Amino acid sequence: MSAIGLYVPGTGPLYRAPAWAKLLGLLAAGVALIAAADHRVALGALAASLLVYPVVGLAPARAWGVLRVLWPFLLAIALFQVLFGAWETAVRLCAQLAALVLLANVVTLTTRVREMLDLFERAARPLRHVGVDPDRVALVLALTVRSIPMVAVAWRTSQEAYRARGLSGRPHLLVVPVIVQLLRMADATGEALVARGIDDDTRA
């Protein structure tokens, strides 16, 4: 989970690009990959997405970290497609997914969280006319971003407790402790928001 992170300081050209341009580029890459629907194009995109990391000044280990987290899902997709479809489809889908996740991670690593939240807040302003508060949209997005390291911390804590008890070969035992920790964190966050008067207008 630590490999799929938030902003990493840097000075490359991609860092200076506005958030909207990076998101638009990511959207264009996704549309192009899906429209091409070719496993060779998808593999080329995957290779290119791996090369993007050192080009923009990010450690290649971050790319491999993303793939390490993603590989169980890719394996499941590949097995299903090979068994019930064609190997070309398996290669195409896995390469497309891996490439897009890698590129999305580059966007998050090279874009400040505040810049991303400001972009979504501006995009949500037209919804004010139908009763949506753009500030609350930004708050929800901020909490969503904050939940990423929270999940990582909960998982790491559960793993350490799992090893301390001498348990092995039963990773499913980690699920319940992780969920319990996340619920506690959510309760603490909710109490902090209420204490700061975030929900005062909804109670009136």
Side-chain angles (χ1 to χ4, degrees):
M1 292 278 312
S2 60
I4 305 178
L6 304 180
Y7 178 75
V8 174
T11 58
L14 194 58
Y15 282 90
R16 296 191 292 272
W20 66 265
K22 285 182 271 194
L23 289 177
L24 189 61
L26 180 62
L27 176 62
V31 171
L33 273 177
I34 295 173
D38 187 283
H39 67 282
R40 291 162 296 189
V41 174
L43 286 173
L46 176 57
S49 65
L50 289 170
L51 291 175
V52 166
Y53 281 74
V55 169
V56 302
L58 295 170
R62 290 189 175 275
W64 296 119
V66 172
L67 294 178
R68 186 170 61 249
V69 173
L70 200 59
W71 78 262
F73 303 98
L74 297 178
L75 179 61
I77 292 172
L79 289 175
F80 180 84
Q81 290 297 330
V82 168
L83 291 174
F84 301 101
W87 68 267
E88 294 93 342
T89 303
V91 172
R92 175 174 61 81
L93 292 176
C94 290
Q96 285 176 340
L97 179 60
L100 291 176
V101 171
L102 286 168
L103 292 175
N105 194 47
V106 169
V107 172
T108 63
L109 293 174
T110 59
T111 308
R112 294 183 183 276
V113 174
R114 182 68 259 174
E115 184 182 358
M116 193 73 74
L117 295 178
D118 287 343
L119 172 63
F120 286 119
E121 184 178 352
R122 291 195 301 271
R125 282 176 186 169
L127 298 177
R128 189 187 296 273
H129 301 293
V130 293
V132 176
D133 186 353
D135 293 334
R136 285 188 176 272
V137 173
L139 175 62
V140 170
L141 291 172
L143 292 175
T144 302
V145 170
R146 179 67 183 92
S147 69
I148 297 174
M150 286 173 61
V151 173
V153 170
W155 181 261
R156 190 160 49 247
T157 302
S158 297
Q159 279 187 319
E160 291 172 356
Y162 179 83
R163 297 192 187 101
R165 292 184 177 89
L167 301 175
S168 62
R170 291 180 290 175
H172 62 280
L173 296 178
L174 293 172
V175 175
V176 173
V178 169
I179 293 176
V180 170
Q181 287 194 60
L182 292 177
L183 289 175
R184 289 175 178 171
M185 291 178 182
D187 285 339
T189 301
E191 291 174 0
L193 292 174
V194 172
R196 287 165 175 78
I198 299 298
D199 282 346
D200 283 350
D201 59 339
T202 60
R203 294 183 178 187

